[in-house]
Amino acid sequence: MSSDRRGNFLKVKCLDCDNEQVVFDRASSNVQCIICGKTLVKPLGGKAKITAHIDEVLK
Ligand SMILES: [Zn+2]
């Protein structure tokens, strides 16, 4: 529970180009794919919305 409150790093895969990238699930600004520029994470005032495939939650 406490780890959820701090947020987690996620390994995600871009839906457009399959690039794998590590993102923070409480990002306060948009995170974009470093390869194709697709938005991977959108901030929603707290927990962010992940708009990519989540491969793994990193602890
Ligand atoms: Zn991409």
Side-chain angles (χ1 to χ4, degrees):
M1 285 305 190
S2 60
S3 68
D4 188 57
R5 209 166 287 167
R6 287 196 307 267
N8 290 302
F9 286 96
L10 308 172
K11 190 161 92 176
V12 300
K13 187 184 276 189
C14 177
L15 298 176
D16 281 3
C17 72
D18 287 345
N19 169 53
E20 286 186 334
Q21 195 167 324
V22 174
V23 301
F24 188 51
D25 73 354
R26 289 183 173 248
S28 57
S29 58
N30 275 9
V31 177
Q32 287 163 322
C33 174
I34 57 172
I35 304 298
C36 74
K38 182 183 173 67
T39 298
L40 303 179
V41 182
K42 284 183 181 176
L44 286 178
K47 196 153 189 156
K49 179 171 171 58
I50 310 297
T51 55
H53 176 75
I54 299 172
D55 265 351
E56 194 179 340
V57 177
L58 306 174
K59 305 269 177 173

